[in-house]
Structure formats: structure tokens, C-alpha cells
Amino acid sequence: MAPDEPHGSSINTVQLADIITSSLGAVFDRFLDRQAKRDKLWQAEQAEHDKLRQAEQAERDKLWQAEQAERDHRQTDVLAKIMEALGSSSQPTAQAASPDSGLSLRV
């Protein structure tokens, strides 16, 4: 403030503090708004990432179940062939290797 300015046009310390405070408040409000937008975007990205991860896991589970079913089917086929072969050679041997006998076969 120059000494030759009229008294009515000068800004006192309280008014200056109010201007600075309101300006800083506005800047801080904008910062918070931007931060909230970033948080929402991050949450949306995380939700999409989680959704993709769940879909990939579901696909892996489906493939694993199909592989298990195929493996079980092959084991059943092999066991049936063994039982058939044993049944044609001798009846007691076929009974000893039957599923009820407690013996198991791994393929």
C-alpha cells in the first residue's frame, strides 16, 4: 500500500487473511474433488480387474473339471477292459479285482 492511496481502498490484514483462506479453501476443495474422482476411477478399475480375474478362474475351474471327467472316464474304461479280460480268463480272479474288493487301479 502506497502512502498516497486513499484510506478506503486499502485492504487490512483481516481482509487479506480472509482472501487467502478462501483461496486456499477453494484450492483444497478442488484437490479433494480430484482425489475423489481418482479414487472412483481406481475402484472401477479394481472392480473390472476382479471381474476379469474371477472369469479367468472360472474358466480354469471349468477346464480342470473337464480334465477330471476325462481322466475318470479313461480310468473307468481301462478298469472295464481289465475286468473283461480277467472275466474271460477265470471267474475267481475277476471277482478279486472287482470294485467291491477294495483294490484300486491308477492310470
Side-chain angles (χ1 to χ4, degrees):
M1 287 183 274
D4 58 335
E5 289 183 348
H7 182 61
S9 67
S10 67
I11 298 176
N12 65 32
T13 308
V14 173
Q15 290 171 326
L16 186 58
D18 286 343
I19 292 169
I20 292 172
T21 302
S22 65
S23 296
L24 287 175
V27 169
F28 189 65
D29 287 344
R30 284 194 303 269
F31 168 77
L32 291 177
D33 288 343
R34 285 188 207 129
Q35 189 64 37
K37 288 177 184 177
R38 277 189 224 124
D39 289 346
K40 285 181 183 180
L41 179 61
W42 182 83
Q43 289 171 353
E45 288 173 351
Q46 289 301 309
E48 183 64 26
H49 181 69
D50 291 345
K51 188 177 176 181
L52 289 173
R53 192 175 334 126
Q54 289 172 354
E56 289 170 353
Q57 184 63 44
E59 185 64 25
R60 283 192 297 271
D61 291 347
K62 185 178 176 182
L63 289 173
W64 183 83
Q65 290 172 352
E67 289 171 358
Q68 291 299 318
E70 178 63 27
R71 186 175 299 126
D72 291 346
H73 182 70
R74 282 193 315 262
Q75 287 177 349
T76 302
D77 286 348
V78 168
L79 184 57
K81 289 177 183 177
I82 290 172
M83 295 301 292
E84 184 180 316
L86 290 174
S88 65
S89 64
S90 71
Q91 188 62 24
T93 307
Q95 289 175 350
S98 71
D100 296 334
S101 70
L103 299 174
S104 64
L105 173 68
R106 289 189 167 203
V107 178

